Structure formats: structure tokens, C-alpha cells
Amino acid sequence: MAVATTKLEIVTPDRVVYEADIAMAIVRASDGELGILPHHIPLITGIVPHAMRVKFADGRDEQLIAVSGGFMEVMPDKIIMFATSAEEPVDIDVNRAQRDMERARKRLAELHASPMTAAQRASLQKEELALQRAIVRLKVAASLSHKDEK
Ligand code: ATP
């Protein structure tokens, strides 16, 4: 029997980043990890920066996609992810992500070393998210080189 599939669309403010028929998506929502199969009950949930995992019905290797924050709508036959930014492995500039990671780490260290005002707390949150986005991009880009090694 053929494996059931569902449509996945990842949309950012600039473009549709990804569109495919998939067998399963594993997503980090604001309240934890979710595995979404075809015919899932309808839901809307927030998403945090993470490496989303996509599985296919034809046995192709699982794919990772870097997704920043946003939200996701799940319908029985379609998943739409509205992300502030998202990239497939080939589209990731590794040097840029590396620089972003180092900059966020440096700023976080500076923030931790100074007294914590409300403004500092907001900056801390912003830098923590920037660090997560960079780490996610590096992880997703690395999944491409692991595939090449096979
Ligand atoms: P930066 O400070 O380098 O812009 P950021 O995490 O603040 O990083 P976002 O605001 O999430 O960036 O995204 C802005 C745009 O830049 C989006 O189109 C996103 O896809 C793209 N982008 C950000 N970092 C990278 C990267 N390392 N490789 C490819 N595209 C990237």
C-alpha cells in the first residue's frame, strides 16, 4: 500500500521557500516537539528556531530545513509554516552563520557581565534567539556535507 502524504509549504515574507509532498514533518513548536503525519487534526501553533525534519514517502533521505520563529497551520491534507526566515541546506551561507554565532556569543557574554536592566533583558532575549538561528543554520548546512560523505 502506498504511504500517505501531505503537502508542506514553508512561506517567509519574501517567498515560498519550500513546497513538497511529504510523509512526515518533525517540528519544534513553542510547547515542544510535534510529529505531523497526513490526516493530522487541524491546529495552529507557534514555532521556535529549529532544524525541521522532513521525511518522504519514497524512502529518500530525511531532509533538514532551518526555520526561524513564526507559526504553523496544520490541516488534514496540508501543513503551512509561516516563518520569519527559512533556508534549505544548499542556501545557507556557512561563513555568515558562523559570524552571526560568534557575534551573538560575544554580545551575550557582555550582557551577562553587566547589571541586568529591563533593556538588557530584552537584548539578552534578542541575542539568544540570534544565537539559536545561527546554530540551527550550521546544523542544517552540515546535514548536506554528511549526505555527500555517504
Ligand atoms: P543576519 O544577522 O546574518 O541577517 P539573522 O538571523 O538576523 O542573520 P534573519 O533575520 O533570520 O537573519 O533573516 C534575514 C534574511 O537573511 C532571510 O532571508 C534569511 O533567509 C537570510 N539569512 C540569514 N542568515 C543566513 C545564512 N547564514 N545563510 C543564508 N541566508 C541567511
Side-chain angles (χ1 to χ4, degrees):
M1 208 175 73
V3 179
T5 61
T6 187
K7 286 201 186 310
L8 168 65
E9 231 179 81
I10 304 175
V11 183
T12 66
D14 322 332
R15 64 192 179 104
V16 176
V17 173
Y18 190 81
E19 245 180 323
D21 285 320
I22 65 158
M24 185 179 188
I26 299 161
V27 172
R28 182 107 32 88
S30 332
D31 52 358
E33 196 168 76
L34 271 179
I36 304 155
L37 293 164
H39 314 300
H40 197 281
I41 51 161
L43 71 87
I44 292 183
T45 184
I47 46 169
V48 297
H50 70 289
M52 174 181 184
R53 291 164 57 198
V54 176
K55 293 177 184 284
F56 301 98
D58 61 7
R60 250 180 300 161
D61 280 351
E62 166 178 300
Q63 180 174 3
L64 294 191
I65 303 169
V67 188
S68 301
F71 70 95
M72 172 179 73
E73 180 176 9
V74 179
M75 292 160 272
D77 60 349
K78 192 170 184 176
I79 303 165
I80 310 182
M81 192 165 269
F82 299 94
T84 46
S85 64
E87 302 89 32
E88 288 194 69
V90 286
D91 295 324
I92 292 173
D93 177 339
V94 172
N95 291 331
R96 178 174 167 182
Q98 193 77 42
R99 277 197 306 274
D100 288 346
M101 183 175 76
E102 280 156 20
R103 188 181 55 205
R105 283 202 170 134
K106 185 163 170 277
R107 287 182 181 163
L108 281 168
E110 287 164 2
L111 284 164
H112 280 298
S114 54
M116 217 23 96
T117 61
Q120 301 279 75
R121 259 194 297 278
S123 302
L124 197 72
Q125 234 175 13
K126 181 172 153 269
E127 294 304 334
E128 275 166 358
L129 284 172
L131 178 61
Q132 279 175 40
R133 290 196 298 276
I135 290 172
V136 164
R137 287 179 177 128
L138 291 171
K139 176 178 173 180
V140 170
S143 71
L144 195 64
S145 44
H146 294 153
K147 258 185 206 168
D148 290 346
E149 281 163 15
K150 279 191 185 168

